[in-house]
Amino acid sequence: MVTDAAQILVASNRGPVSYSLDGSGGLDARRGGGGLVSGLSAIGSDAQTLWVCAALGEGDREAVRRGVSEPGVRMLDIDAAVHADAYNGIANSVLWFVHHMLYQTPLEPVFGREFRRQWDAYRSYNRAFAEALAADAAEGAAVLVQDYHLALVPGMLRELRPDLRIGHFSHTPWAPADYFGLLPDDIAEELLRGMLGADRLGFLTRRWADAFAACCERAVGGTGTTEIGVHGLGADGDFLRERARRPDVEERLAELREAVGADRRTIVRVDRTELSKNIVRGLLAYEELLETRPEWRERVVHIALAYPSRQDLAVYRDYTAEVFRLATEINERYGTPGWTPVVIHVKDDFARSLAAYRLADVALVNPIRDGMNLVAKEVPVVSDTGCALVLSREAGAYWDLGEDAIVVNPYDVSGTAEALHRALSMPDDERAERTKRLAAASTSLPPRRWFLDQLEALRG
């Protein structure tokens, strides 16, 4: 172990900083945000902390080669082919699909030799993290491993360093036992035993925690001595309220208001074009609203901020193309010279997202399945005049916000269209009262507290 070994370690695929090469061969560093960054900063400078992450692009890899790093960050230059197989081949194309129940089962999945080859890469990728954590952790240190990319790390790290306090947090849903059973039996067992190497496992809702426990009961005989906890991540209200009033947001707000036009209601969605986000059915529901409730024509605009995701995977490229095709079709069918029914933006722009939150009369959050969905929690916090929330019962946020949302079955397009009508028709005073309660529920466990609660529970 190194002499300046860390007392608190976080491990995740993506780290708090990324590097890009500039035109002259130099390196530009960009620091990210989020709950883990906020949580680590809350610990204080007196604690020895380390974040272990993967080098994701050429800029990151070059930074590792040059010995460039941020204080408290160790970036692993794992072979690019191994990372691609582990990240795209297994984490995003198998584990993500299982937990979000996205497979078209007549044709997929196919767990043959190529899958086994990629699983070996996933195992190697997890091993690299476990060895790095083992090398840099102080005696009895607390290690918080993040998400489905690193599900094998707890068990591997336990073998290397039995003295450590190891936690793992799942930011996704967990599949029901029957669906989890799609995985080959030996792989399912390896995955579960890898996670059960932790002293404590965290989930976003009790539903996901119970599903994990049911999988363990069926496949490995239970969860053993591993403690299971629930930590429902909330929105950072103070940050969002301040950030939403900055000049760049005001500028985007003016642009959106011009695109919408005067005296019109707005339905807002902000999502990546991720298969689980259900953007296509949301557009179909909006189309049905315009068809069956013609009184809303020219009186409402759907602002769809659909930021492309995982475009290196063909199925995601196809899905993104379908989102655009359908938005274009709605505009061509229903649009008039003074009214564009769907205003769609694809460039990831946080200021524009906040402006849309402020402008929203209705927020549409209808995922097929989602671990939490922070958009549902962020919109009520920054809404200018109150916002009705149309929320899928399959989002983790439903368990915190369902009482004051209009809840939908994400597969029921007609039901969602009717929910949009109800939301648009909601009296202003009711909408304002619901928004107030939604904002309070949304900020009850902000990112810093969410992280520190896990750390405190792990340390016991």
Side-chain angles (χ1 to χ4, degrees), residues 191-263:
L191 192 70
L192 294 173
R193 292 197 185 282
M195 290 180 64
L196 291 173
D199 296 285
R200 192 171 192 277
L201 297 172
F203 296 88
L204 286 163
T205 71
R206 174 53 55 189
R207 180 184 180 189
W208 311 142
D210 288 347
F212 173 81
C215 290
C216 290
E217 191 65 36
R218 177 177 293 189
V220 298
T223 57
T225 60
T226 302
E227 182 184 346
I228 308 294
V230 174
H231 302 273
L233 176 62
D236 188 340
D238 292 339
F239 165 75
L240 288 169
R241 291 183 186 101
E242 184 277 326
R243 182 67 182 86
R245 299 293 164 178
R246 292 186 195 174
D248 59 340
V249 178
E250 297 289 352
E251 181 181 325
R252 302 297 191 282
L253 187 60
E255 293 169 357
L256 287 175
R257 280 183 173 140
E258 183 176 355
V260 169
D263 301 320

Side-chain angles (χ1 to χ4, degrees), residues 123-199:
R123 194 182 285 127
S124 297
Y125 175 72
N126 277 250
R127 175 68 65 182
F129 271 85
E131 290 174 351
L133 292 164
D136 287 342
E139 187 77 18
V143 182
L144 294 107
V145 182
Q146 304 299 310
D147 229 356
Y148 59 101
H149 313 92
L150 302 176
L152 301 182
V153 167
M156 292 175 170
L157 184 56
R158 176 68 63 212
E159 291 180 0
L160 296 170
R161 292 288 304 276
D163 60 292
L164 300 178
R165 295 293 295 173
I166 304 169
H168 183 282
F169 194 86
S170 293
H171 295 263
T172 65
W174 193 271
D178 284 345
Y179 204 90
F180 189 76
L182 290 175
L183 290 170
D185 291 351
D186 60 318
I187 299 298
E189 180 175 349
E190 183 179 354
L191 192 70
L192 294 173
R193 292 197 185 282
M195 290 180 64
L196 291 173
D199 296 285

Side-chain angles (χ1 to χ4, degrees), residues 394-422:
E394 297 301 316
Y398 162 76
W399 300 96
D400 296 327
L401 308 180
E403 191 173 327
D404 286 297
I406 299 174
V407 178
V408 295
N409 171 348
Y411 299 96
D412 185 353
V413 168
S414 295
T416 303
E418 184 58 28
L420 291 173
H421 172 69
R422 279 185 58 202

Side-chain angles (χ1 to χ4, degrees), residues 326-349:
L326 188 52
T328 301
E329 179 183 284
I330 292 170
N331 284 336
E332 290 176 348
R333 182 174 180 183
Y334 295 100
T336 65
W339 172 56
T340 303
V342 182
V343 172
I344 190 165
H345 287 277
V346 297
K347 185 179 179 182
D348 195 345
D349 185 332

Side-chain angles (χ1 to χ4, degrees), residues 59-371:
D60 288 352
R61 297 182 191 284
E62 186 59 28
V64 176
R65 294 183 197 113
R66 296 182 189 181
V68 175
S69 65
E70 295 280 310
V73 178
R74 179 177 176 185
M75 195 172 276
L76 306 180
D77 186 9
I78 298 167
D79 179 81
V82 170
H83 183 270
D85 281 335
Y87 182 72
N88 280 332
I90 298 298
N92 288 344
S93 295
V94 176
L95 300 183
W96 180 274
F97 272 62
V98 167
H99 289 318
H100 290 84
M101 301 170 65
L102 292 174
Y103 281 122
Q104 299 182 60
T105 53
L107 298 174
E108 56 186 10
V110 176
F111 294 130
R113 286 182 297 172
E114 176 64 6
F115 164 76
R116 295 284 174 172
R117 184 190 68 77
Q118 292 180 326
W119 185 260
D120 284 342
Y122 180 78
R123 194 182 285 127
S124 297
Y125 175 72
N126 277 250
R127 175 68 65 182
F129 271 85
E131 290 174 351
L133 292 164
D136 287 342
E139 187 77 18
V143 182
L144 294 107
V145 182
Q146 304 299 310
D147 229 356
Y148 59 101
H149 313 92
L150 302 176
L152 301 182
V153 167
M156 292 175 170
L157 184 56
R158 176 68 63 212
E159 291 180 0
L160 296 170
R161 292 288 304 276
D163 60 292
L164 300 178
R165 295 293 295 173
I166 304 169
H168 183 282
F169 194 86
S170 293
H171 295 263
T172 65
W174 193 271
D178 284 345
Y179 204 90
F180 189 76
L182 290 175
L183 290 170
D185 291 351
D186 60 318
I187 299 298
E189 180 175 349
E190 183 179 354
L191 192 70
L192 294 173
R193 292 197 185 282
M195 290 180 64
L196 291 173
D199 296 285
R200 192 171 192 277
L201 297 172
F203 296 88
L204 286 163
T205 71
R206 174 53 55 189
R207 180 184 180 189
W208 311 142
D210 288 347
F212 173 81
C215 290
C216 290
E217 191 65 36
R218 177 177 293 189
V220 298
T223 57
T225 60
T226 302
E227 182 184 346
I228 308 294
V230 174
H231 302 273
L233 176 62
D236 188 340
D238 292 339
F239 165 75
L240 288 169
R241 291 183 186 101
E242 184 277 326
R243 182 67 182 86
R245 299 293 164 178
R246 292 186 195 174
D248 59 340
V249 178
E250 297 289 352
E251 181 181 325
R252 302 297 191 282
L253 187 60
E255 293 169 357
L256 287 175
R257 280 183 173 140
E258 183 176 355
V260 169
D263 301 320
R264 287 187 176 127
R265 294 287 179 119
T266 57
I267 299 170
V268 166
R269 81 172 306 133
V270 179
D271 277 313
R272 292 173 293 111
T273 52
E274 160 59 56
L275 307 182
S276 63
K277 298 300 183 181
N278 209 22
I279 301 172
V280 167
R281 288 192 188 89
L283 286 167
L284 290 171
Y286 179 62
E287 181 179 42
E288 185 162 322
L289 172 76
L290 297 179
E291 183 62 31
T292 61
R293 302 278 187 174
E295 65 268 27
W296 287 114
R297 296 179 194 176
E298 300 204 60
R299 292 180 53 215
V300 64
V301 171
H302 185 12
I303 299 173
L305 307 188
Y307 303 138
S309 173
R310 299 177 184 171
Q311 294 298 291
D312 46 350
L313 297 177
V315 65
Y316 282 82
R317 293 194 299 271
D318 293 344
Y319 187 77
T320 302
E322 178 60 14
V323 168
F324 282 94
R325 187 200 66 76
L326 188 52
T328 301
E329 179 183 284
I330 292 170
N331 284 336
E332 290 176 348
R333 182 174 180 183
Y334 295 100
T336 65
W339 172 56
T340 303
V342 182
V343 172
I344 190 165
H345 287 277
V346 297
K347 185 179 179 182
D348 195 345
D349 185 332
F350 186 51
R352 181 180 286 120
S353 297
L354 290 172
Y357 290 175
R358 287 180 56 187
L359 190 60
D361 294 299
V362 176
L364 176 58
V365 181
N366 68 318
I368 293 168
R369 195 168 166 84
D370 220 335

